[in-house]
């Protein structure tokens, strides 16, 4: 955005400090449009700031700014989809089934009082997944593991039991 003449013109026209503030300005405008149609805005965690409407839901995906997201989670709802646990387009070498199953919101600081976790979500970005078989291989059984993480209390989870039920 630093080299884009349109972005630089928008920064100047709206008396914004820099490109980050342009992003906040844009998110605010998008949020107002969505709200006018009865919709909710969800934004990736790397584009949120305190100046934005607290109705915007934070979609937490990268650990680069975990402290910021935890702070935001006290002010707005958060959806957890950490890249290193729930991005299923990555191979099992990078995100093994056990890593997905062992995800622990509490150890990441998202079970503290006042933190507003709306839920968890998996991603499967298909630009590197070239056929239906690859999609199925990437999703299963990790999607089943994610379901248990979402719906089963940590103290009730058992990876060995889960593995036996998956028949893999």
């Amino acid at each position: 955005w630093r080299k884009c003449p349109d972005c630089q013109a928008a920064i100047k026209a709206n008396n914004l400090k820099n490109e980050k503030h342009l992003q906040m300005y844009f998110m605010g405008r998008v949020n107002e449009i969505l709200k006018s149609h009865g919709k909710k805005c969800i934004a990736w965690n790397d584009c949120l700031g305190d100046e934005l409407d607290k109705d915007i839901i934070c979609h937490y995906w990268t650990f680069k700014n975990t402290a910021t997201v935890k702070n935001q989670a006290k002010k707005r709802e958060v959806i957890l989809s950490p890249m290193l646990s729930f991005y299923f387009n990555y191979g099992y070498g990078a995100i093994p089934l056990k890593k997905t199953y062992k995800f622990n919101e509490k150890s990441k600081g998202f079970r503290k009082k006042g933190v507003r976790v709306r839920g968890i979500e998996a991603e499967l970005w298909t630009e590197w997944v070239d056929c239906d078989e690859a999609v199925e291989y990437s999703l299963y059984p990790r999607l089943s593991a994610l379901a248990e993480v979402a719906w089963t209390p940590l103290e009730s989870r058992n990876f060995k039991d889960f593995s036996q039920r998956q028949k893999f």
Side-chain angles (χ1 to χ4, degrees), residues 130-159:
D130 60 356
C131 63
D132 290 346
E133 292 81 11
V135 168
E136 288 184 23
Y137 177 79
S138 296
L139 284 176
Y140 302 107
R142 290 191 290 198
L143 195 57
S144 298
L146 177 119
E148 283 207 19
V149 168
W151 298 327
T152 305
L154 181 63
E155 59 276 3
S156 299
R157 286 190 245 151
N158 180 301
F159 184 73

Side-chain angles (χ1 to χ4, degrees), residues 40-100:
K40 277 273 207 191
C41 184
I42 300 174
W44 297 110
N45 62 269
D46 45 347
C47 70
L48 285 177
D50 287 338
E51 59 272 18
L52 288 175
D53 187 331
K54 302 305 181 234
D55 287 340
I56 298 175
I57 298 168
C58 175
H59 199 211
Y60 174 58
W61 72 280
T62 181
F63 288 104
K64 289 181 182 174
N65 55 358
T66 303
T68 301
V69 175
K70 287 179 191 175
N71 185 42
Q72 289 294 316
K74 295 175 186 170
K75 302 170 186 177
R76 67 180 76 245
E77 289 184 300
V78 176
I79 297 170
L80 302 176
S81 59
M83 174 178 61
L84 300 176
S85 296
F86 301 145
Y87 270 51
F88 296 162
N89 48 288
Y90 290 124
Y92 282 89
I95 303 177
L97 178 63
K98 191 170 193 176
K99 189 170 187 177
T100 298

